[in-house]
Amino acid sequence: MTTSGISFTAYLKFLYVLTIICMGAATFVEKSHGTHFTAENIYGAWWFTALWALLTAFAAVHFIRRRVRRASTVLLHLSFVIILAGALLTHLTATRGMIHLRQGETVVTYLVQDGDDVSERQLPFGIRLDRFEVAYHEGTTSAADYISHITVTDGDTRSAVVSMNRICSHRGVRLYQSDYDPDMQGSILALNADPWGIPVTYLGYALLFISFLWSLADPSGTFRRLLRSPAVRESVLVMTILMAPAGFIPASGADGGERTPPVLPKETAEDFGRLYVLHNGRICPVQTLAVDFTRKLCGKTSYEGLTAEQVLTGFILWRDRWFDEPIIKMKNGPLRETLMLPEYCSVNTFFNRDMGGYILGPYVQETMAGASDKFHKDVAAVDDRLMMIMEVTRGTLLKIFPYTVDAATTWNAPTDKPAATVPTPDALYIAGAIPLLAEAAGGGNTERAAMLIGKMKRYQEKNGGMSLPSSLQTKAERIYNAVPFATILFMVNLTFGVVMLTVAIRRMTGCGRKTKGAAFRLCCAVMALSLAALTVCEALRWIISGTIPMSNGYETMLFVAWVVMAVSLAAARRFRIALAFGFLMSGFFLLVSHIGQMDPNISHVMPVLNSPLLSLHVSAIMFSFALLAMTFICGVTALVVAAATRKTIGSSRTGAPEALRVLSLLFLHPALATLAVGIFIGAVWANVSWGTYWGWDPKEVWALITMMVYAVGVHAGSLPSLRRPLTYHIFMTAAFLTVLMTYFGVNYVLGGMHSYA
């Protein structure tokens, strides 16, 4: 290549890296200075548009100079140019605004914000709000949808409905449900008119999808050539398993001594757990409340051999005795050190007359005043658990008494003031059922306690209306509560993964023996069983919630672990080492779901998330992240092997590092395809939901950064250094930091619209 050619390529590399750095920095600027500042001074600034234009121009010239003729590759790169052209058209020609409607009033203008100024513009038609309503999930106060019934006046009139994920289009203007007035007499609609940018951008998305599929299927393409590579055969490693069966340390049972608090018999407590309760915004078995309650207190779903139902009913029926029970697990930290607290505390530990009553009270006030250091965060967490105990013992959390009038069901706690529609006998029953149960249990009359629980069950069946879960949902939830899927699977998978990878590395470095096929078949069987168990777990969550389980961080962690296991099991027939990678990465993801700041509780999804596009979007993104995790393990393994055999970066392209590079590339190509598809499906969903297909939200930006960084890995033709195995593996290992930032960093550091994910 000529000097000018080298200089041109250097400029292209510089622009590419600069664009990535600017986008990454912008997400942190947004964190400190706000969305409006960042949109105006970075994403909407002329220099940012110019930077993308220069990068596109240099990339196009470079592409032409390399004389690329493969049709799938040409179409792939052309799709990116079309997408950027559509984005430019949207930036230059699109109109966005807000319309505030009040019931019965016709509006012919909308508001547009330009910097700090807000201007009023004319609509080409009139809009009248006929009625606004919030639809709720049956028997709960959880919103299922926000619905505006409107009339559009344009010569003639027509009725229309605008709700979440349901837009109204008229004369090129699209209306989206955005907000509503507290008095329920008004609605706020978002307006978007983008007649040029959306069609062009969608064309680019379509070509991108087609070109990626074409590039993977093209017999003369890079991906198919990799499948035929001799290095593929070299990467088929024989591994063994030297693992003792994993077991559980059984919880110590109640010893029957004086310290053991009083509880209902296990069978009676289980019957109480079969009742239904309004918990976490949905109707579910009391068992679910008991499991969540016990887990939050002591970190487990049982305590001293007692079931979660026994713990919950113990606090309800024998409050004073259970307040002395050291069940609250305290984390190591400044709170425990400052107050010299034991590892397990009782409720009464925090109430001391000699110290002024509630010993956390002054610190809670400081937390409410804005103190947010680690000490005060621990205070808030413990106070939250204590308040939950108080709500349980007072009965305010026990919304177990339904009443249905005119197909509308409300669920009441014993302490609730009955609505006027509840007949007096039922109101008296609601107020007296728990005290009667406490009296029977306190007197040791278990038969009467069981009879009262049976009466409460019949009361629920009579008055619960359509809000009660189906029999299938109830059975699914009880199975789900009984089996700690994530806990079991992360221990099994991590154990197998560590042992298998250790054996594989020893084999690659010449320190291990060739193993028998029986060991590999055993590993495949364990992986298949693990995959089947996780599939059951996902199916149970789907049945319970009625929606595909991919709406929060916990569920996406389970899904990515499922994808890793499925992919590794499929790839293991040709690449045995993929099984070790699958065990290790799926175990890691399950561990994160188990110990991370993720909520495993099942709840109704937000109305905006109730879209099939969301499921496709998350599925594609998580599938991509799973494959990228496999490239990370390939990289780490290659670097460990290289260090063990003292190979240098410039070593020959043979042996284990090269075989792992080929395997990594086989994961990388479909990973990039699914990541790009996931991003554009997310853009379509955003366009349907709130009127803009790209909003420069931090997670959108970091997903784009991730795709751009990993795209470097498939351009070894332009970057010859990536043809050296260890250089490639170092890059791919470091690139995984962008995945971690996209998934975890945005959620817990940057925030944004996607921080729930």
Side-chain angles (χ1 to χ4, degrees), residues 86-103:
L88 180 61
L89 285 172
T90 295
H91 179 65
L92 296 176
T93 65
T95 300
R96 296 188 183 92
M98 303 295 291
I99 305 173
H100 186 196
L101 302 174
R102 292 292 294 177
Q103 188 167 312

Side-chain angles (χ1 to χ4, degrees), residues 95-213:
T95 300
R96 296 188 183 92
M98 303 295 291
I99 305 173
H100 186 196
L101 302 174
R102 292 292 294 177
Q103 188 167 312
E105 299 177 3
T106 299
V107 175
V108 294
T109 60
Y110 64 98
L111 300 177
V112 175
Q113 183 170 0
D114 185 9
D116 295 328
D117 300 325
V118 177
S119 59
E120 191 174 57
R121 298 184 186 178
Q122 194 73 21
L123 277 169
F125 48 84
I127 305 174
R128 184 183 73 239
L129 177 65
D130 300 321
R131 186 177 80 259
F132 175 80
E133 62 177 324
V134 179
Y136 295 98
H137 292 283
E138 189 68 42
T140 76
T141 57
S142 298
D145 205 353
Y146 305 103
I147 308 168
S148 293
H149 299 268
I150 63 174
T151 296
V152 178
T153 304
D154 188 12
D156 56 359
T157 61
R158 74 179 183 97
S159 298
V161 172
V162 182
S163 63
M164 306 309 299
N165 295 309
R166 182 178 179 182
I167 64 176
C168 172
S169 297
H170 187 76
R171 291 180 59 179
V173 176
R174 297 173 298 147
L175 303 174
Y176 304 79
Q177 184 64 50
S178 178
D179 205 346
Y180 62 95
D181 294 342
D183 63 1
M184 305 286 285
Q185 299 298 304
S187 178
I188 299 175
L189 305 182
L191 174 148
N192 185 301
D194 187 10
W196 302 105
I198 291 177
V200 173
T201 303
Y202 277 21
L203 173 63
Y205 288 158
L207 294 178
L208 179 67
F209 178 70
I210 294 170
S211 59
F212 262 125
L213 290 181

Side-chain angles (χ1 to χ4, degrees), residues 16 23 29 84 92 129 140 156 164 175 186-187 231 274 362 407 415 422 492 552 584 597 609 631 689 723:
Y16 196 82
M23 289 192 295
V29 172
L84 290 172
L92 296 176
L129 177 65
T140 76
D156 56 359
M164 306 309 299
L175 303 174
S187 178
R274 293 181 185 276
T415 55
V422 180
V492 171
N552 56 44
L584 201 61
Q597 302 176 26
L609 303 182
T631 68
S689 297
R723 297 172 187 170

Side-chain angles (χ1 to χ4, degrees), residues 627-647:
L627 294 177
L628 294 178
M630 300 293 274
T631 68
F632 170 73
I633 293 297
C634 285
V636 171
T637 304
L639 295 178
V640 171
V641 170
T645 56
R646 293 185 175 86
K647 289 190 176 182

Side-chain angles (χ1 to χ4, degrees), residues 418-432:
T421 54
V422 180
T424 300
D426 287 305
L428 293 176
Y429 179 78
I430 291 172

